[in-house]
Amino acid sequence: MNASTNDTTARRIMALYLATGLGLAVLLMVVGILMRMSQAGWIRLASVDFYALMTLHGAGMIAALVLCGMGGIWYLMRREVAMSASLALWAYGVTVGGVLLVAVAAAFGKFGAAWTFLYPLPFLNPTWPAWSIGAFLIGLTLIVLGWTVWCIQVLEAVLRGFGGFRGVLGWDAVFRPKAFAAAGRKLPPPQVLPAFVIAFDGLLAATAASLLGVALFVHWLDPSVPLDALWAKNITYFFGHDLANFIIYMLIAQVYVGLPAYAGRPWKNSAVLTLGWWGTLVFLLLAFPHHLYMDFAQPAWIQYLGLGASYLSSVPVAVVTVFGGLLLVWRSGMRWGLGSLFMYAGMAGWILGGIGALLDATINFNVHLHNTLWVPAHFHTYLLGASFLFAIGWVFAMLEVRSPDPTPPAMRWTIGVTVLGGIALLVGTFYLAGAASVPRRYDVEPDPGPLLAGWGSVGAIILVLGLLIATLEGARLWRGLRRAKTSVEWPWSPDAAARPEGGAR
Ligand code: HEM
């Protein structure tokens, strides 16, 4: 197979992952709107339906954006290092099979123990049948299996392509910078850092998930075998918190490659950026105890470890990346399009959601914000207002950079205002409700919850309408590309000649 056939296959695989992830996300947005409208009192979902939909929405959305990140990183690494397409398809198939089983458990069995399925809730006086617990657990197991295959494949490729741990971690650039520069050596491109960190940490999280999965299966088959609830909660959040967090760190890889296409200059890796990712590598795994501040049986030192790690896992990479993004754009003669708009706005969403998350991870604030709508507020900000924007920004970047017929400014404004405005209104009402102590996961909320849920529904409807217009515009750009049979190189690579050592195709 020649290089261009390989590239076409790789692009198709990425497109499959992205189309499935984004399609599923938009479908589940409609589910989100139904829940928010029910909380507003506009419609009335029965409690069992509300919690089944909430479980489906949560688990499905996480899986949808994980799929987008998996496809994006797989493609970017495939550009650098040879990787098996069949293995990527296998991981895709198993993951999607898992999502379907979770959907069956929620839609037909009305399994409603939330996407966090915290022991013993799935088994405690359930309103759902025993088979739906099994279907949900098997579904999650398949998702973890697909994820594990992806992690192993990406980790092996990155280590093979970029000089092992020493090369990927930029050891010589950090500790012997002068000798490194004098030898004319180069760090790997920046997108290799998220690929490595997430594949490495992802494997550890998957190991924990497998352990928990076996324990839950045993309890499902023989309820007389008890589990330690605190142990189960620690492992559940070690896996669940990490997986939800991995999403934004995976999708930032698309920004490292996509945004430079509009700025006209490369996003360079540096010792500072690499050091930021060292922090993420370690602290991402240690931040989860901030979900357990209310568990008084948890040893206090673990709580403080969680507090410190929460700050250290996110701040270095977010700050270095966002400043790097600002410098990339500054005086670059930036070409603004829908792709650059979404990726740039997504970086703002990352910072805003990150601040919301760190406030909640701070013990003194957590006492007030724990289990209020502040929690969905911050994670919707960085999942919807950042990660999702990175994913659609990447799709538009692929279309716009090669397009012979760019999006007219009026259309850009319409899409930008509806999508970003809709997100702002939706998450803004979550924050206000959280600050007013409205609890999360209540199908019927106390005041001022219903009023704010009404405004949140308006925001979400505007967002979905904006996405519909964006889809039509994307289809127009795509048709233009096909008609013009454009030969512009993609992915656009300003430093294609300066590949780092070992970075061969
Ligand atoms: C139109 C867009 C969306 C709307 C209207 C929406 C709405 C909602 C609502 C009403 C809840 C329940 C809040 C509560 O009372 O606790 C919720 C929970 C959740 N949402 Fe969304 N959402 C949207 C997009 C997203 C996206 C893009 C993601 C992530 C990729 C996401 C992930 C989640 C998760 C993980 C939960 C928690 C479920 C649980 O508690 O088990 N949502 N969403």
Side-chain angles (χ1 to χ4, degrees):
M1 224 191 299
N2 63 34
S4 81
T5 323
N6 266 340
D7 197 53
T8 311
T9 312
R11 265 191 238 182
R12 285 192 179 144
I13 290 176
M14 170 184 61
L16 182 67
Y17 271 92
L18 274 176
T20 312
L22 290 177
L24 187 60
V26 173
L27 203 68
L28 291 171
M29 281 182 191
V30 177
V31 171
I33 292 176
L34 290 179
M35 286 192 291
R36 210 65 189 121
M37 287 189 349
S38 180
Q39 287 171 327
W42 292 3
I43 57 170
R44 181 74 196 110
L45 290 174
S47 293
V48 278
D49 292 328
F50 179 90
Y51 289 108
L53 287 179
M54 190 187 82
T55 305
L56 176 66
H57 173 85
M61 278 295 196
I62 297 289
L65 288 204
V66 165
L67 277 171
C68 293
M70 285 165 77
I73 286 210
W74 188 87
Y75 174 65
L76 292 182
M77 293 307 104
R78 175 62 197 77
R79 284 168 63 205
E80 313 285 344
V81 188
M83 286 162 81
S84 154
S86 341
L87 208 55
L89 287 174
W90 201 88
Y92 167 85
V94 174
T95 310
V96 171
V99 173
L100 289 178
L101 264 184
V102 168
V104 167
F108 299 107
K110 306 243 165 124
F111 178 81
W115 89 276
T116 41
F117 56 96
L118 206 54
Y119 176 85
L121 192 57
F123 309 95
L124 208 63
N125 304 324
T127 53
W128 44 85
W131 70 260
S132 70
I133 307 175
F136 187 83
L137 289 178
I138 297 170
L140 279 184
T141 307
L142 290 178
I143 293 174
V144 171
L145 189 62
W147 169 253
T148 308
V149 170
W150 179 90
C151 288
I152 292 174
Q153 190 185 24
V154 169
L155 189 59
E156 185 280 328
V158 164
L159 291 177
R160 172 163 45 88
F162 295 95
F165 285 99
R166 193 181 179 112
V168 174
L169 289 171
W171 192 264
D172 296 327
V174 170
F175 290 113
R176 297 191 295 148
K178 284 195 182 135
F180 187 81
R185 295 173 63 192
K186 286 197 162 26
L187 284 164
Q191 63 271 23
V192 171
L193 291 166
F196 166 72
V197 167
I198 297 309
F200 187 89
D201 283 1
L203 265 185
L204 297 177
T207 310
S210 312
L211 187 66
L212 178 72
V214 171
L216 290 173
F217 269 122
V218 170
H219 184 80
W220 176 54
L221 294 172
D222 182 357
S224 70
V225 180
L227 305 184
D228 181 299
L230 188 61
W231 173 84
K233 187 167 181 183
N234 271 286
I235 305 280
T236 305
Y237 277 108
F238 179 71
F239 165 67
H241 165 86
D242 286 2
L243 189 67
N245 247 230
F246 291 159
I247 291 173
I248 195 154
Y249 294 103
M250 283 201 274
L251 285 162
I252 196 69
Q254 314 309 119
V255 181
Y256 285 154
V257 179
L259 211 53
Y262 295 88
R265 52 194 190 204
W267 193 316
K268 289 205 174 110
N269 190 1
S270 64
V272 176
L273 184 64
T274 299
L275 274 173
W277 280 97
W278 283 21
T280 303
L281 177 72
V282 176
F283 296 113
L284 197 54
L285 296 173
L286 301 177
F288 76 91
H290 64 224
H291 287 274
L292 286 96
Y293 290 153
M294 294 291 166
D295 294 83
F296 300 111
Q298 180 94 326
W301 66 268
I302 301 187
Q303 313 289 35
Y304 287 106
L305 180 73
L307 175 66
S310 302
Y311 280 80
L312 290 168
S313 70
S314 52
V315 173
V317 157
V319 170
V320 177
T321 296
V322 172
F323 270 108
L326 291 179
L327 290 177
L328 181 87
V329 170
W330 177 250
R331 296 198 170 160
S332 67
M334 183 77 174
R335 191 188 132 196
W336 288 104
L338 285 169
S340 47
L341 174 74
F342 287 140
M343 287 190 271
Y344 200 72
M347 290 203 291
W350 190 12
I351 293 294
L352 288 174
I355 292 172
L358 288 179
L359 278 177
D360 191 34
T362 307
I363 293 171
N364 300 37
F365 285 105
N366 188 270
V367 171
H368 301 287
L369 299 174
H370 191 85
N371 268 359
T372 66
L373 281 171
W374 189 272
V375 180
H378 76 65
F379 70 67
H380 279 92
T381 313
Y382 61 67
L383 287 175
L384 175 63
S387 310
F388 178 76
L389 291 183
F390 291 163
I392 57 172
W394 171 251
V395 173
F396 273 102
M398 284 187 291
L399 294 171
E400 282 178 329
V401 169
R402 297 181 296 156
S403 172
D405 186 10
T407 303
M411 176 58 93
R412 233 174 32 224
W413 273 94
T414 309
I415 294 174
V417 169
T418 46
V419 171
L420 301 182
I423 293 177
L425 190 54
L426 172 67
V427 298
T429 56
F430 273 143
Y431 278 115
L432 284 177
S437 296
V438 178
R440 73 179 286 205
R441 292 176 171 161
Y442 269 37
D443 62 329
V444 180
E445 294 178 344
D447 284 332
L451 175 70
L452 291 167
W455 283 107
S457 305
V458 173
I461 292 168
I462 293 174
L463 159 68
V464 171
L465 288 178
L467 288 175
L468 198 67
I469 304 173
T471 310
L472 295 177
E473 176 56 13
R476 189 191 68 82
L477 290 170
W478 167 251
R479 279 197 305 274
L481 271 183
R482 299 208 65 142
R483 265 199 311 273
K485 292 196 171 54
T486 176
S487 60
V488 179
E489 178 203 2
W490 178 263
W492 182 88
S493 172
D495 64 343
R499 288 260 172 255
E501 18 190 298
R505 288 179 88 86

